[in-house]
Amino acid sequence: MNFNMTRSSVLICFLMLCSSLLIPGHCHRSLPKKHVALFIFGDSLFDAGNNNYINTTTYSQANFWPYGESFFKYPTGRFSDGRLISDFIAERAGLPFIPTFLPSYNDKFVYGVNFASAGGGALVETYRGYVIDLQTQLSYFKIAEKQLKQKLGDAEAKTLLGNAVYLFSIGGNDYDAALTSNSSVLQSDYSTKQYIGTVVGNLTTVIKEIYKTGGRKFGLSSVGASGCSPAWRATMNGSSGSCLETPPSELAKLHNIELYKALEELEKQLTGFKYSVHNFYDSGVEIINNPSRYGFKEAMTACCGSGPYRGISSCGGKRIGIEEYELCDNPAEYFYFDSGHATERAYKLFAELMWSGTPNITWPYNLKKLFEHSGA
């Protein structure tokens, strides 16, 4: 028997079998059995560069020096000197850097997709026209879902989506936008409650939509005490009172109470729904109030920026017409890198708390337990 002929015949039969199957991508190599993908939604806490590809302003972009200086040695679009919380979570889960949805499909989508957009909110109205809001991020997820089905086949894609973890950081921009736009939506206790209810409601709607596609495991970060950021400190420079008593911090506390209630309700309503929520507010305040305990020399002033506390958003000299800015020598000594975003070192601490934190700060599961749990 001619060996070459036999090998050719086998190959032809294999190709005929593949082409006759109705399931697209059936002949692609199977995923590892313990493969757990990570799908990321949210704002600048997680945006790894999606905003590089949208028509926006430099306020919503970080694709210029010195962003990225510590780890990547070049700007990637991440609002930090290096990696973000979501990067460290991916590393802990044994995944590569999760690719951004933009500019186009990537073969690494089998590891997950990052849809987050700096400035993005749960409300479509939040910085409309300059960011990718949560509802649009959901629509991008549905496109990625179709692409994965074409790549892997329906059955394999279903397994991937069922076992995946869906990570969210959203809400902070909705409150910052309302506070800085002279909006009347927060003028009374009633309207404030309604506004918070809409923000949390939009998030839970998106979670339910992902649940319908098979998603079962959700990781969330609560809204942090943004009133303690250099940006807000600069606006209240010289005034007395704690940064925790500022409007953004007060709104964050109210938001988080409603978020925790909503997650408990979802757990009751949705069979198989499991979540991990990290108290980003308390963990951030703890580090800001006790910086030396966590190895920081400075937790009030930013590494990069200008003005009081370096709270003017001039880092990189590409924003608001201010070309001059100050830059610290060692970002690892600082909690904040720019006027509103933390350093890589701070983000690594938060990632550790989300990954393996105890129930007093991350509950009812931590992300490590969530990744280990079978969701499909």
Side-chain angles (χ1 to χ4, degrees), residues 290-305:
N290 305 283
S292 60
R293 186 182 298 172
Y294 300 93
F296 295 103
K297 289 186 178 179
E298 179 57 66
M300 291 172 65
T301 297
C303 167
C304 184

Side-chain angles (χ1 to χ4, degrees), residues 52-180:
N52 295 351
Y53 304 99
I54 65 174
N55 185 19
T56 186
T57 71
T58 50
Y59 275 105
S60 299
Q61 292 178 320
N63 53 352
F64 44 87
W65 188 262
Y67 291 102
E69 65 166 347
S70 297
F71 180 80
F72 300 99
K73 309 304 179 187
Y74 64 91
T76 64
R78 291 167 170 83
F79 275 81
S80 188
D81 60 305
R83 291 162 289 183
L84 305 177
I85 292 172
S86 45
D87 295 319
F88 289 111
I89 296 300
E91 181 183 317
R92 279 296 204 163
L95 298 167
F97 287 121
I98 303 301
T100 54
F101 178 76
L102 299 176
S104 60
Y105 177 80
N106 186 318
D107 280 343
K108 289 187 177 178
F109 277 12
V110 293
Y111 296 109
V113 188
N114 186 326
F115 305 98
S117 168
L123 306 182
V124 175
E125 296 80 9
T126 296
Y127 303 126
R128 187 200 293 265
Y130 297 100
V131 301
I132 308 166
D133 64 88
L134 186 59
Q135 192 62 41
T136 303
Q137 291 180 36
L138 175 66
S139 71
Y140 287 171
F141 166 72
K142 290 183 177 179
I143 293 170
E145 179 194 7
K146 288 179 183 176
Q147 292 171 334
L148 286 167
K149 285 180 178 178
Q150 291 168 358
K151 171 84 174 175
L152 303 171
D154 285 359
E156 195 115 21
K158 183 180 178 182
T159 299
L160 183 147
L161 295 168
N163 280 325
V165 170
Y166 299 84
L167 192 63
F168 288 82
S169 166
I170 204 79
N173 289 312
D174 296 299
Y175 303 111
D176 284 345
L179 288 167
T180 56

